[in-house]
Amino acid sequence: MEFTSDAAREHWDSLLGVVPGAVVALDFDGTLSPVVDDPAAARIHDEAADALTGLAGVVRAVAVITGRPARQAIAMGDLDELGLEMRRRGTDLFVLGQYGNERWSSAERRIVSPRPPAGLASFERELPAVLRAADAADAYVEEKGLAVAVHTRRLPDPAEALARLSGPVAGLAARHGLTVEPGRHVVEVRSGSMDKGQALRMLLAEQQAEGVVFGGDDLGDVAAFEAVRALRADGLPGVVVCVASEEQPALAELADVVVEGPGGTVTMLRALAARGR
Ligand SMILES: [Mg+2]
């Protein structure tokens, strides 16, 4: 675990003073699960379940906040079973899917989700023509219910392909009243009314959190990074953890702690659990 500054270390120390009242929130892909070529094949890190369970009875709540549908993240992380075990030990697990548009908790064990945003169906109908025109007809289009993700990871030059299609896809999204969320070899189109920062703020308020840790690795996590920093400026102890990746080096500048991959997330969670006992 590496602190980005002396002030960052002080933020961590402040957080350690309020661990029983803290909420620990984490992105899923790249943060708890290694990034793989086929997004459908992602699985939670081998030691993540153990590290998350270690927070049960130690912190107030644990949340996974992901762009994925909640159902997917729950399946890929065996989070239903994990949540039951955590709840037995006195801490609830939350899964906020689709950037907070869906919510699952180990207390309720069902997914609550709103209707798909207006404009998404017509966006999807017009998308293939836009991709063909951008010479990216082979991009992988993932329907996520409340969002559509266009992946270039399997194309010959993913970064170049993403640069080529991002503008046209953003234009199409704007015409249908939708927003785009750029990521690593992916651009995601969804309703603009929710992001991870807003989702995190709502959970913290509901849980009456006395501190917060948020960890993420991608551009979709920036809103949550900024939420933690803004709340901290208002007096709530908070720590931003960046799971470093070569694709998004700028994210580390917003972070207090930089870790390497999901294995680094596990190390951080274990340090937190050890200090909270
Ligand atoms: Mg991620």
Side-chain angles (χ1 to χ4, degrees):
M1 236 171 70
E2 181 191 330
F3 293 99
T4 55
S5 67
D6 290 345
R9 186 181 289 273
E10 285 169 20
H11 294 317
W12 176 259
D13 288 343
S14 298
L15 184 89
L16 292 179
V18 295
V19 168
V23 169
V24 177
L26 302 157
D27 166 52
F28 189 75
D29 288 78
T31 300
L32 283 172
S33 79
V35 171
V36 291
D37 283 344
D38 178 2
R43 292 285 308 154
I44 197 166
H45 187 277
D46 286 344
E47 296 174 52
D50 183 64
L52 289 168
T53 308
L55 292 173
V58 174
V59 300
R60 182 156 298 163
V62 175
V64 173
I65 307 182
T66 175
R68 284 190 188 270
R71 174 183 47 76
Q72 271 186 15
I74 290 165
M76 290 167 169
D78 284 329
L79 299 182
D80 192 24
E81 194 180 329
L82 177 64
L84 280 176
E85 177 59 25
M86 291 181 65
R87 185 168 168 75
R88 264 197 292 276
R89 299 185 188 199
T91 295
D92 270 319
L93 176 67
F94 293 81
V95 178
L96 307 180
Q98 308 230 25
Y99 300 93
N101 280 303
E102 295 178 327
R103 175 191 161 108
W104 176 94
S105 73
S106 54
E108 297 178 351
R109 300 182 68 204
R110 66 189 181 93
I111 296 166
V112 180
S113 68
R115 293 165 181 277
L120 194 64
S122 46
F123 170 87
E124 280 188 71
R125 275 196 301 276
E126 295 173 32
L127 181 59
V130 167
L131 292 179
R132 277 196 301 276
D135 195 19
D138 289 337
Y140 169 55
V141 176
E142 181 190 6
E143 295 186 18
K144 302 174 75 170
L146 300 175
V148 172
V150 182
H151 297 267
T152 62
R153 191 173 288 280
R154 297 181 205 166
L155 298 183
D157 184 343
E160 198 273 328
L162 189 66
R164 206 165 58 229
L165 64 77
S166 286
V169 168
L172 180 63
R175 288 198 290 284
H176 292 283
L178 303 165
T179 64
V180 296
E181 186 77 60
R184 224 191 281 184
H185 300 163
V186 62
V187 58
E188 187 156 309
V189 177
R190 60 184 174 83
S191 157
S193 60
M194 187 62 107
D195 62 32
K196 289 191 183 185
Q198 198 182 332
L200 179 60
R201 280 175 179 272
M202 286 165 60
L203 182 68
L204 294 175
E206 174 199 289
Q207 295 294 313
Q208 298 182 307
E210 293 160 38
V212 57
V213 176
F214 179 84
D217 73 315
D218 212 341
L219 297 176
D221 300 310
V222 168
F225 283 15
E226 287 172 347
V228 171
R229 292 163 63 99
L231 290 165
R232 186 166 72 202
D234 290 339
L236 185 78
V239 171
V240 174
V241 179
C242 174
V243 184
S245 70
E246 287 174 8
E247 289 93 339
Q248 304 293 0
L251 290 193
E253 291 172 16
L254 293 170
D256 304 303
V257 175
V258 177
V259 300
E260 287 297 324
T265 305
V266 165
T267 302
M268 183 275 296
L269 295 176
R270 287 189 168 142
L272 193 60
R275 293 298 296 272
R277 290 193 183 279

